[in-house]
Short mmCIF file of all heavy atoms in Angstrom, two decimals:
data_model
loop_
_atom_site.label_atom_id
_atom_site.label_comp_id
_atom_site.label_asym_id
_atom_site.label_seq_id
_atom_site.Cartn_x
_atom_site.Cartn_y
_atom_site.Cartn_z
N ALA A 1 -4.96 9.47 10.87
CA ALA A 1 -5.23 9.86 9.48
C ALA A 1 -5.15 11.39 9.39
O ALA A 1 -5.46 12.10 10.36
CB ALA A 1 -6.61 9.36 9.05
N TYR A 2 -4.74 11.87 8.26
CA TYR A 2 -4.77 13.32 8.05
C TYR A 2 -5.63 13.63 6.84
O TYR A 2 -5.69 12.88 5.88
CB TYR A 2 -3.37 13.92 7.93
CG TYR A 2 -2.55 13.49 6.73
CD1 TYR A 2 -2.65 14.18 5.51
CD2 TYR A 2 -1.63 12.44 6.82
CE1 TYR A 2 -1.88 13.81 4.43
CE2 TYR A 2 -0.85 12.06 5.74
CZ TYR A 2 -0.98 12.75 4.53
OH TYR A 2 -0.24 12.39 3.45
N PHE A 3 -6.35 14.76 6.98
CA PHE A 3 -7.28 15.21 5.95
C PHE A 3 -6.72 16.49 5.34
O PHE A 3 -6.23 17.37 6.06
CB PHE A 3 -8.66 15.48 6.55
CG PHE A 3 -9.27 14.26 7.21
CD1 PHE A 3 -8.94 13.89 8.51
CD2 PHE A 3 -10.17 13.48 6.51
CE1 PHE A 3 -9.50 12.78 9.10
CE2 PHE A 3 -10.74 12.35 7.11
CZ PHE A 3 -10.41 12.00 8.40
N VAL A 4 -6.83 16.60 4.04
CA VAL A 4 -6.24 17.74 3.35
C VAL A 4 -7.06 18.02 2.09
O VAL A 4 -7.66 17.11 1.49
CB VAL A 4 -4.77 17.44 2.99
CG1 VAL A 4 -4.66 16.26 2.06
CG2 VAL A 4 -4.10 18.66 2.40
N LEU A 5 -7.10 19.32 1.70
CA LEU A 5 -7.76 19.67 0.44
C LEU A 5 -6.99 19.07 -0.73
O LEU A 5 -5.76 18.94 -0.68
CB LEU A 5 -7.85 21.19 0.30
CG LEU A 5 -8.73 21.91 1.33
CD1 LEU A 5 -8.62 23.42 1.14
CD2 LEU A 5 -10.18 21.47 1.22
N THR A 6 -7.72 18.74 -1.78
CA THR A 6 -7.11 18.08 -2.93
C THR A 6 -5.98 18.91 -3.51
O THR A 6 -4.92 18.38 -3.86
CB THR A 6 -8.17 17.83 -4.01
OG1 THR A 6 -9.23 17.03 -3.45
CG2 THR A 6 -7.57 17.11 -5.21
N GLU A 7 -6.16 20.22 -3.56
CA GLU A 7 -5.15 21.08 -4.17
C GLU A 7 -3.88 21.17 -3.32
O GLU A 7 -2.80 21.48 -3.82
CB GLU A 7 -5.72 22.48 -4.40
CG GLU A 7 -6.19 23.16 -3.10
CD GLU A 7 -6.90 24.49 -3.36
OE1 GLU A 7 -7.34 24.72 -4.50
OE2 GLU A 7 -6.99 25.27 -2.40
N ASN A 8 -4.00 20.89 -2.00
CA ASN A 8 -2.82 20.96 -1.11
C ASN A 8 -2.21 19.58 -0.82
O ASN A 8 -1.25 19.48 -0.06
CB ASN A 8 -3.21 21.61 0.22
CG ASN A 8 -3.66 23.05 0.06
OD1 ASN A 8 -3.13 23.78 -0.78
ND2 ASN A 8 -4.66 23.47 0.84
N ALA A 9 -2.79 18.55 -1.40
CA ALA A 9 -2.36 17.19 -1.07
C ALA A 9 -0.88 16.94 -1.36
O ALA A 9 -0.17 16.38 -0.52
CB ALA A 9 -3.23 16.17 -1.82
N PRO A 10 -0.32 17.31 -2.53
CA PRO A 10 1.10 17.04 -2.78
C PRO A 10 2.02 17.66 -1.73
O PRO A 10 2.99 17.03 -1.28
CB PRO A 10 1.34 17.65 -4.17
CG PRO A 10 0.00 17.62 -4.82
CD PRO A 10 -0.98 17.90 -3.72
N GLU A 11 1.72 18.91 -1.33
CA GLU A 11 2.57 19.60 -0.34
C GLU A 11 2.51 18.90 1.02
O GLU A 11 3.54 18.66 1.66
CB GLU A 11 2.10 21.04 -0.21
CG GLU A 11 2.83 21.83 0.88
CD GLU A 11 2.18 23.19 1.16
OE1 GLU A 11 1.28 23.59 0.40
OE2 GLU A 11 2.60 23.82 2.14
N ILE A 12 1.30 18.55 1.46
CA ILE A 12 1.14 17.93 2.78
C ILE A 12 1.69 16.50 2.77
O ILE A 12 2.25 16.02 3.76
CB ILE A 12 -0.33 17.95 3.20
CG1 ILE A 12 -0.83 19.41 3.25
CG2 ILE A 12 -0.53 17.30 4.56
CD1 ILE A 12 -0.01 20.32 4.14
N ASP A 13 1.55 15.82 1.63
CA ASP A 13 2.13 14.47 1.53
C ASP A 13 3.64 14.52 1.72
O ASP A 13 4.23 13.66 2.40
CB ASP A 13 1.80 13.85 0.17
CG ASP A 13 0.33 13.42 0.07
OD1 ASP A 13 -0.31 13.29 1.13
OD2 ASP A 13 -0.15 13.23 -1.06
N ASP A 14 4.30 15.51 1.12
CA ASP A 14 5.75 15.65 1.29
C ASP A 14 6.10 15.95 2.74
O ASP A 14 7.11 15.47 3.26
CB ASP A 14 6.27 16.77 0.39
CG ASP A 14 6.22 16.38 -1.08
OD1 ASP A 14 6.14 15.17 -1.37
OD2 ASP A 14 6.25 17.29 -1.94
N LEU A 15 5.26 16.77 3.39
CA LEU A 15 5.51 17.11 4.79
C LEU A 15 5.46 15.86 5.67
O LEU A 15 6.38 15.61 6.47
CB LEU A 15 4.46 18.13 5.27
CG LEU A 15 4.43 18.40 6.79
CD1 LEU A 15 5.74 19.01 7.25
CD2 LEU A 15 3.25 19.29 7.15
N PHE A 16 4.40 15.07 5.54
CA PHE A 16 4.28 13.87 6.36
C PHE A 16 5.34 12.83 6.00
O PHE A 16 5.79 12.07 6.86
CB PHE A 16 2.86 13.28 6.22
CG PHE A 16 1.88 13.88 7.18
CD1 PHE A 16 1.23 15.07 6.88
CD2 PHE A 16 1.62 13.28 8.40
CE1 PHE A 16 0.32 15.63 7.76
CE2 PHE A 16 0.72 13.84 9.29
CZ PHE A 16 0.07 15.02 8.99
N LEU A 17 5.73 12.82 4.74
CA LEU A 17 6.81 11.91 4.35
C LEU A 17 8.11 12.26 5.07
O LEU A 17 8.87 11.38 5.48
CB LEU A 17 7.00 11.94 2.84
CG LEU A 17 8.01 10.95 2.26
CD1 LEU A 17 7.56 9.52 2.54
CD2 LEU A 17 8.19 11.17 0.76
N SER A 18 8.37 13.55 5.23
CA SER A 18 9.58 13.99 5.94
C SER A 18 9.53 13.64 7.42
O SER A 18 10.56 13.56 8.08
CB SER A 18 9.77 15.51 5.77
OG SER A 18 8.74 16.23 6.45
N LEU A 19 8.29 13.46 7.95
CA LEU A 19 8.13 13.06 9.35
C LEU A 19 8.06 11.54 9.50
O LEU A 19 7.74 11.04 10.58
CB LEU A 19 6.86 13.69 9.92
CG LEU A 19 6.84 15.23 9.97
CD1 LEU A 19 5.48 15.73 10.43
CD2 LEU A 19 7.93 15.76 10.89
N TYR A 20 8.36 10.81 8.40
CA TYR A 20 8.38 9.35 8.38
C TYR A 20 6.99 8.72 8.60
O TYR A 20 6.84 7.71 9.27
CB TYR A 20 9.37 8.80 9.42
CG TYR A 20 10.77 9.29 9.21
CD1 TYR A 20 11.29 10.30 10.01
CD2 TYR A 20 11.56 8.77 8.19
CE1 TYR A 20 12.58 10.79 9.79
CE2 TYR A 20 12.85 9.24 7.98
CZ TYR A 20 13.35 10.26 8.78
OH TYR A 20 14.62 10.73 8.56
N PHE A 21 6.00 9.38 8.01
CA PHE A 21 4.65 8.83 8.04
C PHE A 21 4.59 7.60 7.13
O PHE A 21 5.01 7.65 5.98
CB PHE A 21 3.64 9.89 7.57
CG PHE A 21 2.21 9.41 7.56
CD1 PHE A 21 1.48 9.33 8.73
CD2 PHE A 21 1.59 9.05 6.36
CE1 PHE A 21 0.16 8.89 8.71
CE2 PHE A 21 0.28 8.62 6.34
CZ PHE A 21 -0.44 8.54 7.52
N GLU A 22 4.09 6.48 7.66
CA GLU A 22 3.97 5.25 6.89
C GLU A 22 2.51 5.08 6.48
O GLU A 22 1.65 4.74 7.29
CB GLU A 22 4.43 4.05 7.71
CG GLU A 22 5.90 4.11 8.11
CD GLU A 22 6.32 2.95 8.96
OE1 GLU A 22 5.52 1.98 9.08
OE2 GLU A 22 7.42 2.99 9.53
N ARG A 23 2.26 5.34 5.21
CA ARG A 23 0.89 5.30 4.72
C ARG A 23 0.43 3.86 4.54
O ARG A 23 1.17 3.01 4.07
CB ARG A 23 0.79 6.05 3.40
CG ARG A 23 -0.63 6.13 2.86
CD ARG A 23 -0.69 6.91 1.57
NE ARG A 23 -2.02 6.90 1.00
CZ ARG A 23 -2.37 7.46 -0.15
NH1 ARG A 23 -1.44 8.09 -0.87
NH2 ARG A 23 -3.61 7.40 -0.60
N VAL A 24 -0.81 3.61 4.92
CA VAL A 24 -1.44 2.30 4.74
C VAL A 24 -2.68 2.49 3.88
O VAL A 24 -3.54 3.31 4.20
CB VAL A 24 -1.83 1.67 6.09
CG1 VAL A 24 -2.60 0.37 5.88
CG2 VAL A 24 -0.59 1.42 6.93
N ARG A 25 -2.73 1.75 2.79
CA ARG A 25 -3.88 1.87 1.89
C ARG A 25 -4.97 0.89 2.32
O ARG A 25 -4.73 -0.31 2.49
CB ARG A 25 -3.46 1.59 0.45
CG ARG A 25 -2.42 2.60 -0.05
CD ARG A 25 -2.10 2.39 -1.51
NE ARG A 25 -1.07 3.32 -1.95
CZ ARG A 25 -1.31 4.56 -2.37
NH1 ARG A 25 -2.56 5.00 -2.40
NH2 ARG A 25 -0.32 5.35 -2.75
#
């Protein structure tokens, strides 16, 4: 799991998406 500040969430989400992170809700 990765933790991120709310204001930085969109940027970090794009980063992990580029690394092929598969999110599980």
Side-chain angles (χ1 to χ4, degrees):
Y2 65 87
F3 301 83
V4 61
L5 295 175
T6 302
E7 60 186 19
N8 296 324
E11 175 190 352
I12 301 304
D13 287 342
D14 290 341
L15 169 63
F16 273 84
L17 185 62
S18 68
L19 297 175
Y20 302 102
F21 179 78
E22 297 178 11
R23 184 179 176 182
V24 175
R25 298 185 183 275

